[in-house]
Amino acid sequence: DWGTITLVAGQTYTLSLDYYQNADQANVKLEWQSPSQAREVVPGSPPDAGTVGGGTGGGGGTVVLGDGNGLLGTYYDNSDFTGTQVSRIDPTVKFSWQGQRRVSPIDTTTFSVRWEGQVLAPVTGDYTFLVNSDDGARLWVNDQPLLDVWGDKTESEYPSDPITLQAGQKYN
């Protein structure tokens, strides 16, 4: 359900988190930690020039995680990333919707979200990404899967294998 990749300094890497909700409780959170950094919600940072993602939803400029504005979240009105969609910048991925509407006109119980952007490592080291979700989640860095826990599930936490990030490098 997860994998390990090595990231090289000076290259740009794609970061994408897919989530879907099938009924009732709706929770998702994206965190990271390293031997030199305490566990925390992945913070947002200012955008770079360019675009995010492969055109499957959303659009807009690149969003960088690290010290600024957040991730581009594209919300779909069903669990398979089709149909009505609304995009916005989410400062972090840390939500417990509990039946509340995420964004209008997206349904409260059956929906999906694709967050896209970059991550900026504050120090060089091995990082573990952690996703806490109720129902399915998938996480990619550099178009390679780190987590794949897709399916109707109760709320659980899923850690990735560690990946090496270089300080000051932005990873998509």
Side-chain angles (χ1 to χ4, degrees):
D1 288 334
W2 52 79
T4 301
I5 62 172
T6 301
L7 305 180
V8 178
Q11 293 185 11
T12 302
Y13 299 96
T14 302
L15 181 132
S16 179
L17 173 63
D18 284 355
Y19 166 78
Y20 88 92
Q21 176 58 36
N22 194 32
D24 300 327
Q25 303 298 319
N27 305 301
V28 64
K29 180 169 47 173
L30 176 61
E31 298 176 297
W32 65 345
Q33 66 184 22
S34 74
S36 61
Q37 175 185 300
R39 180 177 171 164
E40 65 180 5
V41 173
V42 178
S45 87
D48 270 350
T51 61
V52 171
T56 55
T62 299
V63 180
V64 183
L65 296 172
D67 58 6
N69 69 343
L71 288 174
L72 176 65
T74 303
Y75 291 72
Y76 297 85
D77 195 24
N78 56 54
S79 60
D80 65 358
F81 302 96
T82 59
T84 301
Q85 64 184 34
V86 176
S87 295
R88 70 180 192 189
I89 302 297
D90 287 323
T92 60
V93 177
K94 183 180 179 184
F95 296 103
S96 181
W97 290 294
Q98 307 303 320
Q100 302 298 311
R101 187 175 299 278
R102 279 128 300 293
V103 290
S104 186
I106 305 304
D107 184 64
T108 61
T109 58
T110 305
F111 64 95
S112 52
V113 185
R114 176 168 289 129
W115 287 281
E116 300 173 286
Q118 294 180 320
V119 66
L120 177 64
V123 297
T124 297
D126 291 337
Y127 287 79
T128 300
F129 288 84
L130 303 105
V131 175
N132 183 300
S133 69
D134 173 17
D135 288 335
R138 294 181 181 137
L139 175 66
W140 293 267
V141 174
N142 195 31
D143 296 320
Q144 296 183 39
L146 289 184
L147 290 170
D148 187 353
V149 288
W150 208 246
D152 294 344
K153 301 181 181 308
T154 59
E155 184 173 356
S156 297
E157 179 176 276
Y158 306 98
S160 72
D161 286 339
I163 60 172
T164 302
L165 301 178
Q166 300 294 319
Q169 295 298 311
K170 294 175 183 173
Y171 298 94
N172 293 350

